[in-house]
Structure formats: C-alpha cells, structure tokens
Amino acid sequence: MEKIIIFAVLTVFSMVVSGFYFIYKGTDANRKFARAFMKLNLFVFAPIFVFGLISLVPQMASAATASTGGNGLGFLAAGLSTGLASLGAGVAVSNVGSAAIGAVSEDPNILGKSMIYLGLAEGIAIYGLIISIMILGRL
C-alpha cells in the first residue's frame, strides 16, 4: 500500500509540473521557461512511470490472478483496449472537429461531409470497446 501512495504522490507532482506549461504561455521568455518545465516533466514522469510498472503491476497482476483464477491479465487487456482506443478517438475527434468547424464556417454546405469524418474518428473507440467485449467473452 505504501508503494501505491508514493507512486501516486510522485505522479501528481510530475503532472503539476506540466501545468506550468499551460499557465506560462505568452511571451518568448515565458515560452522558454515553460519548455524547460516540460523537459523537467519528461525527465521526472518517465522514471516514475517505469518504477510503477516494475514494482506495482506484477503485484497487482498476481493478486488478480490469485483471486479470479488467472484472469487478471485478461481484465487488464480489456481495460487497456477500451482506454487506449478511447484516448485515440478523443485525439482524432479533437483534430477533425476543429478542422470541420473551420471548414463549415467558410462553407456551410459541407456540414454533412464533415460529420462523416467525425463519425469515422469516433469509430475508433467503438472498435476498442468491441475488442474489450471479445476479450471479456473469452475469460
């Protein structure tokens, strides 16, 4: 339990550093300052993440396999497939949505075409959910 608390505290600390990037946008001096904070965040967060993977995941996986009869990594795979697919869909929808809004503001007749592309980007999350359901069906 202590390892989880230490990991959570260090992760929150490293994420606070990335908040300075969004606060200090503006002049060139502030951008250089913010870039330095982002580099610090990369050098702090990456080792913390590796430490957490090495020290916490095997214990959680072994605890999950002991209590559920060997299905712990299957549940982990189902969660990762849904989570990562949803994250990718969010990035795709944000990029496609902003481009679609700009295009529709110039020509309102292409609203339907832009919605098709937005739906295709959202389909990524649905594919991840289907894979997750298939994994859970095999457990």
Side-chain angles (χ1 to χ4, degrees), residues 85-86 88-90 92-94 96 116-128:
S86 298
V93 166
S94 70
V96 171
I116 291 172
Y117 291 118
L118 206 58
L120 289 172
E122 187 60 36
I124 298 169
I126 295 170
Y127 297 143

Side-chain angles (χ1 to χ4, degrees), residues 51-127:
F51 166 75
L53 284 177
I54 292 171
S55 64
L56 296 176
V57 172
Q59 293 174 359
M60 289 180 192
S62 66
T65 57
S67 64
T68 59
N71 296 335
L73 291 178
F75 290 129
L76 184 65
L80 282 174
S81 69
T82 302
L84 293 176
S86 298
L87 185 67
V91 170
V93 166
S94 70
N95 291 335
V96 171
S98 64
I101 288 173
V104 168
S105 67
E106 291 179 8
D107 184 13
N109 295 330
I110 61 171
L111 178 65
K113 293 177 185 175
S114 65
M115 288 299 128
I116 291 172
Y117 291 118
L118 206 58
L120 289 172
E122 187 60 36
I124 298 169
I126 295 170
Y127 297 143

Side-chain angles (χ1 to χ4, degrees), residues 26-43:
T27 64
D28 289 334
N30 287 341
R31 286 183 190 156
K32 290 179 184 177
F33 185 66
R35 285 183 187 151
F37 268 115
M38 287 302 287
K39 289 178 185 176
L40 176 66
N41 186 22
L42 288 176
F43 287 120

Side-chain angles (χ1 to χ4, degrees), residues 1-17 44-45 47-49 51-53 55-56 60:
M1 185 67 181
E2 297 87 19
K3 287 182 181 180
I4 295 173
I5 293 172
I6 292 170
F7 181 67
V9 167
L10 291 175
T11 303
V12 167
F13 169 73
S14 67
M15 296 307 280
V16 166
V17 171
V44 169
F45 184 72
I48 291 171
F49 188 71
F51 166 75
L53 284 177
S55 64
L56 296 176
M60 289 180 192

